[in-house]
Amino acid sequence: MAYEGDELLENVTSKEYEFGFTTNIESDKAPAGLNEDIIRLISSKKNEPQWLLDWRLEAFKIFQKMTEPEWAHVKYEKPNLQAISFYAAPKQKKVLNSLDEMDPELRKTMEKLGISIEEQKRLSGVAVDFVMDSVSVATSFKEKLGELGIIFCSISDAIQEHPELIKQYLGTVVPRTDNYYAALNSAVFTDGSFCYIPKGVRCPMELSTYFRINEAGTGQFERTLLIADEESYVSYLEGCTAPQRDENQLHAAVVELVAMRDAEIKYSTVQNWYPGDKDGKGGVFNFVTKRGMCEGANSKISWTQVETGSAVTWKYPSCILKGDNSVGEFYSVAVTNHFQQADTGTKMIHIGKNTKSTIISKGISSGRSQNSYRGLVQIGKNASNARNFSQCDSLLMTDTSGAHTFPYIEVNNSTAKVEHEATTSKIGEDQIFYCLQRGLDEEQAVSMIVNGYAKDVLNKLPMEFAVEAQKLLAISLEGSVG
Amino acid sequence: MLKIENLQARIEEKEILKGLSLTVGEGEVHAIMGPNGSGKSTLASVLAGREDYEVTGGTVTFNGKDLLDMPAEERAREGLFLAFQYPVEIPGVSNMNFLKAAVGEVRKHRGLEALTAKEFLQLVKEKSELVELDGQLANRAVNEGFSGGEKKRNEIFQMAMLNPSLCVLDETDSGLDIDALRIVSEGVNAMRDGKRSFVVITHYQRLLDHIVPDFVHVLYKGKIVKSGTKELALELEEKGYDWLKETEDAK
């Protein structure tokens, strides 16, 4: 089969963003621009304690001294921060006792996203903390989790109700000085999720948050903090969709995970933000800092991500393996289409003895997109017997797309063992023809081949998420060969 | 069933089929033989709808419909099955899921109800026994890590699952040892029911000892230069192709 570039582009255009709709909810919105007054406004709107305001202002000072990083393999017009409104909250009159009291408009939005909350509650036992435009509007299962001593709430609520935990952990994994966007986030974060699993508790259900950017021109600065105390376990799901927009939207989230001795955190993400149209216009800028600290011995942090959205992605969920025998894992599928650009990967920082890390990255590039894996494996001088295995595969769907791999390895301990494997392949015309000859159409063929290719990663996702991710892969690549 | 008239096809700038005509009736088994490069596999690919090949002339009618007008997947759904010479591997896709999707599409197209999971498994069990395919293989990824013989048996297994009306076997005997050849042939013979037709492309007479054809054709330089019954294959085995080439080249 001959895959002609023009034909391909035409086919690619046939698929517009499925979740491009806007919810009509009045927003309580700050004026555009970034300065100390805005930060004070955010802090006071959220009724924050003085120490947190001071912390934000300090972050802002740090931020002002930094410049936007340019090392990533992406090109874009830098967002004008003075044109962004840094605070928007859906106007909610009262606190909800149950989801039934929720604004019907919000309910509709969730239904369009395919999240029937009742259904989720009933069928899968997933507690959903739904974040829309930075403020949580509903948290389910809170009481049930409460019985186990699990705290799962918006970070704003946690600041009010559990200030000691926030004060103890906020910014300890991703310090304000970490990078440009982490500093910005620290100054202006509006909401996000907080989770604390007490000692010895296995969280009985998948904790889930659906993020959604809703207000046009609103920057999103989510802050997530998740702490797994000794011998605890939690699996956390994060899923994202955003409505279609003409202007670029900036999203600079920070996610911090802390795993204490013998604790395990599984953090799974399905990301499907608006990637821009066929001409590369619009789309979300996703500049995220995600990091987990394996603080205690025998702790484990697993990142699994399926990335199909955003115009520009800059994201490296990482693990600091501080505790002896701690384990870090990173499983990623990143799909780029049209003019999307993704520079994503991980950092595995081995500090403790006998620490182990595994990296499996599967990139899929289509259209005229650029897809880069960038990863660092660092073995500290005290990290004796550290082990790493990395596998980075790239699948090219078109001749016009690009796949790049930038693996960095720094070893400072001679007992370490680091393995790196990388492959690049083009989707097989023979494979597609084989499927066609068995009666499958081309979309099914591509979907099947790609899902097979990404299977090692998809298998790491919790069941209900894996199904969603498979659908997403199919949607993202519809019409991408032909 | 299948009527090919004056078919001409090329790949890139190279003419391969130069006016091939062949009629296959219901329930018939036709063997296509011929020296390397004569266009045998091209014929299989053109019939199955591979887009690398450009049809530059002629017509193909399949069950009364214009075959060349249909995309590859529709040809498959209409009942044309190609057993590949080199079945590809599709890593990570289980044979089962692959077949479930394929059987689903084919049945939908033919106006049949979807099989229940139980019915599907029953069918798998029944058809895999036909080619002595281990249950394990059915659950592995499509052709991944299969031996040459397993791949060919898997082709015949898929053929049986999809219940085609015309089976094109492209050098199914290549790379098979005696036992695998017997198993594959028995699988094919079990599917001969007086209605289903076969086009068997092969280099060697030995396959035709097992799958006995009604007609044998010799393809040379993109055309059928001689047709006969199974005795022709024996004659070719004995005399080789040179005498035919000479006659043909002299023209």
Side-chain angles (χ1 to χ4, degrees):
Chain A
M1 238 166 293
Y3 299 128
E4 297 297 337
D6 291 347
E7 201 182 326
L8 171 106
L9 273 181
E10 261 175 50
N11 280 327
V12 156
T13 60
S14 63
K15 187 73 202 175
E16 290 294 333
Y17 186 67
E18 278 212 338
F19 299 126
F21 50 84
T22 310
T23 307
N24 296 317
I25 295 175
E26 266 185 89
S27 260
D28 178 4
K29 195 167 162 183
L34 178 60
N35 52 51
E36 280 199 11
D37 289 343
I38 291 289
I39 294 166
R40 286 178 201 281
L41 172 75
I42 293 168
S43 195
S44 81
K45 281 258 185 202
K46 301 175 76 64
N47 196 25
E48 288 176 354
Q50 184 62 39
W51 69 265
L52 191 53
L53 174 62
D54 294 342
W55 193 83
R56 287 175 179 276
L57 292 172
E58 180 62 26
F60 184 57
K61 276 190 195 135
I62 294 165
F63 169 76
Q64 284 174 307
K65 289 178 200 145
M66 293 175 129
T67 50
E68 199 165 349
E70 287 174 347
W71 44 262
H73 188 73
V74 291
K75 282 187 192 134
Y76 60 93
E77 202 173 310
K78 286 177 185 168
N80 176 5
L81 298 178
Q82 296 307 333
I84 292 173
S85 164
F86 282 84
Y87 182 77
K91 276 183 181 164
Q92 288 270 324
K93 296 282 185 302
K94 55 175 182 173
V95 177
L96 301 177
N97 294 320
S98 83
L99 297 176
D100 299 334
E101 297 172 18
M102 197 161 53
D103 188 320
E105 280 281 342
L106 279 179
R107 291 289 285 273
K108 249 191 252 166
T109 302
M110 280 190 248
E111 275 155 28
K112 275 190 218 165
L113 284 167
I115 321 158
S116 158
I117 289 227
E118 305 90 299
E119 191 118 309
Q120 293 228 9
K121 271 166 88 170
R122 194 163 48 83
L123 293 176
S124 53
V126 172
V128 176
D129 176 16
F130 189 84
V131 177
M132 175 177 276
D133 267 40
S134 321
V135 171
S136 296
V137 291
T139 302
S140 51
F141 281 86
K142 206 169 167 177
E143 278 178 38
K144 194 173 167 189
L145 295 171
E147 286 166 22
L148 291 163
I150 295 171
I151 304 165
F152 178 42
C153 62
S154 70
I155 202 152
S156 310
D157 287 350
I159 288 164
Q160 304 300 325
E161 290 161 29
H162 309 281
E164 71 296 343
L165 286 171
I166 299 291
K167 208 169 174 179
Q168 188 180 347
Y169 290 106
L170 188 73
T172 56
V173 185
V174 179
R176 289 169 292 184
T177 49
D178 193 80
N179 68 70
Y180 181 81
Y181 283 108
L184 176 63
N185 176 287
S186 301
V188 300
F189 73 88
T190 44
D191 215 337
S193 297
F194 175 79
C195 177
Y196 173 79
I197 313 292
K199 190 173 170 178
V201 171
R202 283 185 69 86
C203 185
M205 60 189 82
E206 317 273 357
L207 297 182
S208 167
T209 305
Y210 280 82
F211 287 90
R212 184 164 170 79
I213 301 173
N214 192 56
E215 189 69 12
T218 306
Q220 286 280 306
F221 302 95
E222 304 288 347
R223 188 95 194 182
T224 298
L225 178 58
L226 203 162
I227 300 146
D229 214 330
E230 295 177 357
E231 295 163 28
S232 68
Y233 166 84
V234 63
S235 170
Y236 191 90
L237 316 181
E238 175 198 53
C240 319
T241 58
Q244 190 159 346
R245 290 287 175 230
D246 282 328
E247 74 236 69
N248 287 307
Q249 289 181 301
L250 173 63
H251 184 97
V254 170
V255 175
E256 296 178 283
L257 313 182
V258 181
M260 310 304 275
R261 178 179 59 77
D262 293 304
E264 180 178 352
I265 300 172
K266 277 184 71 151
Y267 195 101
S268 311
T269 305
V270 170
Q271 190 267 112
N272 181 29
W273 280 328
Y274 181 50
D277 66 12
K278 61 184 166 63
D279 300 317
K281 191 164 174 268
V284 171
F285 288 177
N286 190 17
F287 303 134
V288 182
T289 308
K290 288 185 166 177
R291 195 174 301 152
M293 173 73 83
C294 284
E295 181 72 43
N298 312 313
S299 56
K300 178 175 175 184
I301 291 177
S302 271
W303 297 100
T304 305
Q305 59 173 17
V306 175
E307 300 273 323
T308 63
S310 299
V312 182
T313 303
W314 182 96
K315 178 180 174 187
Y316 315 91
S318 303
C319 297
I320 300 174
L321 304 171
K322 190 173 162 194
D324 289 348
N325 310 312
S326 60
V327 176
E329 293 173 338
F330 174 75
Y331 302 106
S332 169
V333 176
V335 181
T336 52
N337 201 350
H338 307 288
F339 284 86
Q340 278 177 271
Q341 305 174 75
D343 194 301
T344 182
T346 185
K347 288 193 251 182
M348 291 291 173
I349 312 294
H350 292 251
I351 297 171
K353 292 181 176 58
N354 306 315
T355 46
K356 273 201 304 198
S357 62
T358 304
I359 298 170
I360 295 182
S361 164
K362 303 266 182 181
I364 300 165
S365 326
S366 188
R368 290 164 187 273
S369 65
Q370 295 294 329
N371 200 330
S372 304
Y373 167 81
R374 184 183 304 275
L376 168 68
V377 176
Q378 191 182 63
I379 312 284
K381 63 179 189 300
N382 297 322
S384 43
N385 297 314
R387 293 281 178 273
N388 163 264
F389 173 75
S390 303
Q391 185 187 335
C392 306
D393 297 329
S394 306
L395 185 66
L396 293 168
M397 309 289 286
T398 59
D399 294 332
T400 47
S401 56
H404 315 271
T405 305
F406 304 98
Y408 302 86
I409 298 172
E410 294 173 23
V411 178
N412 299 307
N413 185 305
S414 59
T415 60
K417 193 173 159 195
V418 177
E419 288 175 74
H420 181 89
E421 288 176 11
T423 65
T424 300
S425 51
K426 180 140 195 308
I427 189 159
E429 294 173 9
D430 287 345
Q431 289 176 328
I432 292 175
F433 182 66
Y434 192 81
C435 295
L436 296 180
Q437 215 302 306
R438 298 301 182 250
L440 304 176
D441 64 32
E442 195 161 286
E443 304 294 358
Q444 288 172 307
V446 169
S447 164
M448 203 169 254
I449 294 164
V450 166
N451 274 299
Y453 164 78
K455 194 176 144 201
D456 290 347
V457 173
L458 297 177
N459 278 349
K460 300 292 176 185
L461 289 171
M463 194 57 175
E464 64 271 28
F465 234 31
V467 173
E468 200 175 312
Q470 280 184 8
K471 281 189 206 149
L472 249 186
L473 288 188
I475 290 171
S476 306
L477 290 167
E478 249 174 53
S480 62
V481 280
Chain B
M1 167 71 61
L2 180 74
K3 195 170 165 63
I4 305 172
E5 283 185 289
N6 194 29
L7 183 64
Q8 295 152 51
R10 65 179 180 192
I11 183 162
E12 286 162 2
E13 292 307 304
K14 195 166 183 249
E15 297 285 340
I16 306 209
L17 299 182
K18 300 167 188 171
L20 184 148
S21 298
L22 175 70
T23 302
V24 178
E26 196 176 89
E28 293 174 355
V29 177
H30 289 244
I32 311 270
M33 302 183 74
N36 285 330
S38 58
K40 300 190 298 292
S41 285
T42 298
L43 174 62
S45 294
V46 168
L47 290 178
R50 195 163 188 135
E51 285 178 11
D52 299 344
Y53 296 90
E54 187 191 347
V55 174
T56 50
T59 56
V60 181
T61 315
F62 176 50
N63 287 331
K65 293 180 184 164
D66 180 357
L67 185 78
L68 300 178
D69 202 33
M70 300 177 202
E73 66 270 29
E74 197 180 330
R75 299 180 194 198
R77 293 169 191 168
E78 284 283 326
L80 186 148
F81 184 94
L82 171 62
F84 285 81
Q85 183 179 0
Y86 304 110
V88 296
E89 302 189 356
I90 309 179
V93 176
S94 87
N95 234 351
M96 278 302 187
N97 285 339
F98 179 71
L99 268 177
K100 199 179 268 175
V103 169
E105 285 303 319
V106 162
R107 288 184 69 92
K108 192 166 76 187
H109 184 82
R110 296 174 193 166
L112 300 167
E113 269 188 45
L115 294 176
T116 63
K118 198 179 162 197
E119 287 166 337
F120 179 77
L121 288 175
Q122 186 55 43
L123 192 66
V124 166
K125 189 163 180 283
E126 185 189 314
K127 301 302 182 189
S128 58
E129 279 167 9
L130 213 57
V131 285
E132 300 176 25
L133 199 67
D134 193 308
Q136 291 292 317
L137 284 186
N139 284 315
R140 273 162 53 185
V142 179
N143 293 323
E144 198 183 24
F146 283 31
S147 71
E150 285 168 345
K151 281 182 184 171
K152 296 298 174 75
R153 275 150 63 192
N154 194 25
E155 291 293 287
I156 305 303
F157 166 56
Q158 292 184 15
M159 184 164 99
M161 289 293 293
L162 293 173
N163 195 24
S165 55
L166 175 67
C167 307
V168 179
L169 310 184
D170 188 6
E171 302 209 15
T172 295
D173 51 332
S174 70
L176 292 189
D177 60 25
I178 309 270
D179 289 331
L181 184 68
R182 178 187 53 79
I183 293 167
V184 163
S185 305
E186 281 173 3
V188 171
N189 287 333
M191 290 178 67
R192 289 177 72 166
D193 58 0
K195 290 196 141 191
R196 185 175 290 125
S197 309
F198 294 82
V199 172
V200 181
I201 293 170
T202 181
H203 264 291
Y204 301 107
Q205 150 66 21
R206 65 167 191 168
L207 177 67
L208 305 180
D209 287 340
H210 298 275
I211 304 171
V212 181
D214 298 305
F215 300 96
V216 174
H217 311 274
V218 180
L219 189 59
Y220 180 57
K221 290 193 172 171
K223 278 185 192 173
I224 287 176
V225 295
K226 194 164 179 64
S227 296
T229 53
K230 63 183 184 204
E231 284 74 23
L232 176 59
L234 292 168
E235 194 180 351
L236 289 168
E237 177 81 355
E238 199 181 312
K239 301 196 331 202
Y241 293 111
D242 286 351
W243 60 286
L244 272 174
K245 284 187 191 171
E246 278 161 27
T247 326
E248 213 33 48
D249 292 341
K251 281 182 189 171

